[in-house]
Amino acid sequence: MRNERWLNAGLAATSALTGLFLINWAIIIASNNNYQKNGFPRQLLTLMDPVARWSYPDINQKNKSKVSENVYLVGDSYAEGSGDSFLENEYHYSIGHYLHEAIPERIQLHLAANSGSDLPKQLDLLNKYLQGDLSPLSRHQSEEAPNNFILFFYEGNDLENVAISKKLAFHQPIKAFLRKNAPIFHAINLIATNAKQTATSLFRNSASDSNTTKSYTNEVCIGNQNQCRTLPPMQSASAGLSQIQMDSAITYTAKEIDRFKSKHKQSSYCFIYIPSPATIYEPNTFFYENYFGSTPLKTSGKLNSEKSSLMRSELKREIVRLGIPFYDATDTLKTLADKKFIHGQIDPSHFNADGYKILAKFAATSCKLN
């Protein structure tokens, strides 16, 4: 009887391990073939490792014989395409899609961007990808055409992400091996994290009195106050960073860009600066997203504008010193935002279709893609 129990336990464990192995292998196959075609349920993308999400619907399906130039879009969620269009499963949802429509057929677009990241982390991942070091999670095939890199910097949290952690991925051998060969752990961890956050949120909502809950919303109006929206705490020009922290994060970012550039000397580079919603809409006062605490804090639009101007000036100096042209999209986006909202209603932290269209046009012209 006892031996039979051990046998049943062994069979159950073997079946479970076999199932996990098959699911893991299916995720690896999907990671290398998720072209996100029209109708693809993009919410499932989050279950894949960030590197495995570097693909667009049909964009990578060009006739290779006609391609004479590869352009990599590097950055965070803005470069990846987060926003209302993404959430609603629309076919065109990102800078890449609008660029794809505007550029010559000889240019092949590639994505190297992920939500919640920053340029140093993305460039480190991209370097490993280009060297073929991320297999089997993501299999890169060397391209014969020369590479060009468009670096998208987002004012809203790129420097905060650097200040919070300068830790780069795939630098610990055991973790790197598991991440590349066992992406199922990413999916399991994400599901568990989301379940925990949902349970915590439900508990807080049931335990709190809605009448005593403090509101941190912002009233933002445009077009001579004719159009107004109530927005959650806004991303800003690093309102939560001190001058020393900001300077340190800028210096580190420039150093990592230079390190990547030294490994890809024959490539060309272009740097695009994306302002935050607080800089674009310029509310008199607003609650900003606080990355160093749970409670949003308040600042003035004047202070935010001054800090944004200083950040752009310091970044431009560092980027130009590296021999990379610096293009600031702030004025272009603010001009459009004087007439209409260019951020989503579902996702007010990211651009809507109008915002991504104008940014794509700005990038195409500035980086001479058309």
Side-chain angles (χ1 to χ4, degrees):
M1 188 71 176
R2 189 172 182 179
N3 290 337
E4 186 176 339
R5 287 178 180 176
W6 279 108
L7 179 60
N8 289 335
L11 289 173
T14 302
S15 298
L17 290 173
T18 301
L20 289 174
F21 174 82
L22 293 175
I23 293 172
N24 186 73
W25 191 247
I27 293 175
I28 289 177
I29 293 173
S31 297
N32 285 275
N33 297 280
N34 72 93
Y35 294 118
Q36 302 180 42
K37 295 185 183 295
N38 200 5
F40 186 93
R42 297 193 188 101
Q43 298 300 329
L44 293 179
L45 285 177
T46 56
L47 294 175
M48 296 182 181
D49 186 275
V51 176
R53 301 202 298 267
W54 291 1
S55 64
Y56 283 128
D58 305 326
I59 285 184
N60 285 328
Q61 308 307 305
K62 280 189 177 181
N63 186 340
K64 298 294 184 180
S65 64
K66 295 182 179 180
V67 174
S68 62
E69 186 177 350
N70 291 297
V71 173
Y72 287 83
L73 310 180
V74 190
D76 70 348
S77 54
Y78 269 85
E80 186 178 21
S82 295
D84 283 9
S85 295
F86 180 92
L87 294 174
E88 293 178 334
N89 270 342
E90 293 180 15
Y91 186 68
H92 292 83
Y93 65 85
S94 73
I95 299 171
H97 294 93
Y98 296 112
L99 274 176
H100 181 60
E101 294 179 337
I103 61 177
E105 194 172 351
R106 62 179 174 79
I107 297 177
Q108 174 71 70
L109 290 177
H110 303 267
L111 180 68
N114 289 115
S115 175
S117 192
D118 52 65
L119 280 174
K121 292 182 179 66
Q122 288 305 110
L123 288 172
D124 183 63
L125 281 176
L126 178 55
N127 182 61
K128 289 179 172 60
Y129 172 78
L130 293 172
Q131 292 177 339
D133 291 342
L134 300 184
S135 180
L137 178 62
S138 181
R139 294 183 173 88
H140 172 70
Q141 296 180 350
S142 59
E143 308 284 349
E144 295 181 1
N147 292 333
N148 298 319
F149 302 100
I150 301 180
L151 312 181
F152 290 94
F153 174 89
Y154 175 51
E155 176 187 274
N157 57 14
D158 272 17
L159 294 187
E160 278 90 346
N161 290 341
V162 169
I164 290 170
S165 174
K166 295 182 174 65
K167 185 179 178 181
L168 300 176
F170 294 100
H171 281 253
Q172 296 181 353
I174 295 177
K175 287 186 177 181
F177 177 84
L178 289 174
R179 181 172 175 181
K180 288 189 287 188
N181 293 276
I184 190 175
F185 288 122
H186 172 82
I188 292 173
N189 181 63
L190 187 71
I191 292 170
T193 300
N194 288 341
K196 181 180 178 181
Q197 290 175 345
T198 300
T200 301
S201 178
L202 291 172
F203 175 78
R204 285 176 178 172
N205 290 339
S206 63
S208 64
D209 183 351
S210 59
N211 294 324
T212 61
T213 301
K214 187 174 181 179
S215 173
Y216 296 105
T217 58
N218 302 296
E219 189 74 11
V220 175
C221 298
I222 61 172
N224 295 322
Q225 313 299 305
N226 291 328
Q227 301 178 59
C228 296
R229 285 185 185 177
T230 300
L231 302 178
M234 302 172 73
Q235 292 178 334
S236 65
S238 297
L241 293 183
S242 67
Q243 185 63 49
I244 293 176
Q245 288 174 314
M246 189 176 84
D247 292 345
S248 174
I250 289 174
T251 299
Y252 177 76
T253 297
K255 184 189 74 173
E256 290 302 300
I257 292 174
D258 190 37
R259 187 159 75 97
F260 180 88
K261 190 168 178 281
S262 69
K263 296 176 181 178
H264 304 274
K265 296 179 180 178
Q266 304 305 315
S267 302
S268 64
Y269 297 81
C270 182
F271 189 99
I272 302 291
Y273 185 99
I274 304 173
S276 64
T279 297
I280 290 174
Y281 298 113
E282 296 185 292
N284 290 328
T285 59
F286 64 94
F287 287 102
Y288 65 86
E289 223 175 293
N290 180 16
Y291 291 90
F292 300 92
S294 58
T295 304
L297 300 175
K298 200 169 191 178
T299 188
S300 71
K302 181 181 178 182
L303 285 176
N304 182 75
S305 294
E306 290 173 354
K307 199 161 190 181
S308 173
S309 179
L310 179 62
M311 187 189 300
R312 281 178 271 159
S313 176
E314 290 188 5
L315 260 172
K316 182 176 182 178
R317 183 182 65 244
E318 292 295 322
I319 298 305
V320 170
R321 183 180 59 81
L322 299 178
I324 299 175
F326 179 100
Y327 299 103
D328 181 6
T330 302
D331 289 342
T332 298
L333 292 166
K334 286 178 70 174
T335 298
L336 181 61
D338 285 340
K339 304 172 184 176
K340 61 175 73 174
F341 281 100
I342 60 174
H343 289 77
Q345 290 187 306
I346 303 173
D347 181 355
S349 295
H350 295 97
F351 289 142
N352 57 23
D354 291 324
Y356 279 124
K357 283 179 186 176
I358 195 69
L359 183 60
K361 183 178 179 180
F362 179 86
T365 302
S366 300
C367 301
K368 299 176 176 59
L369 298 182
N370 46 15

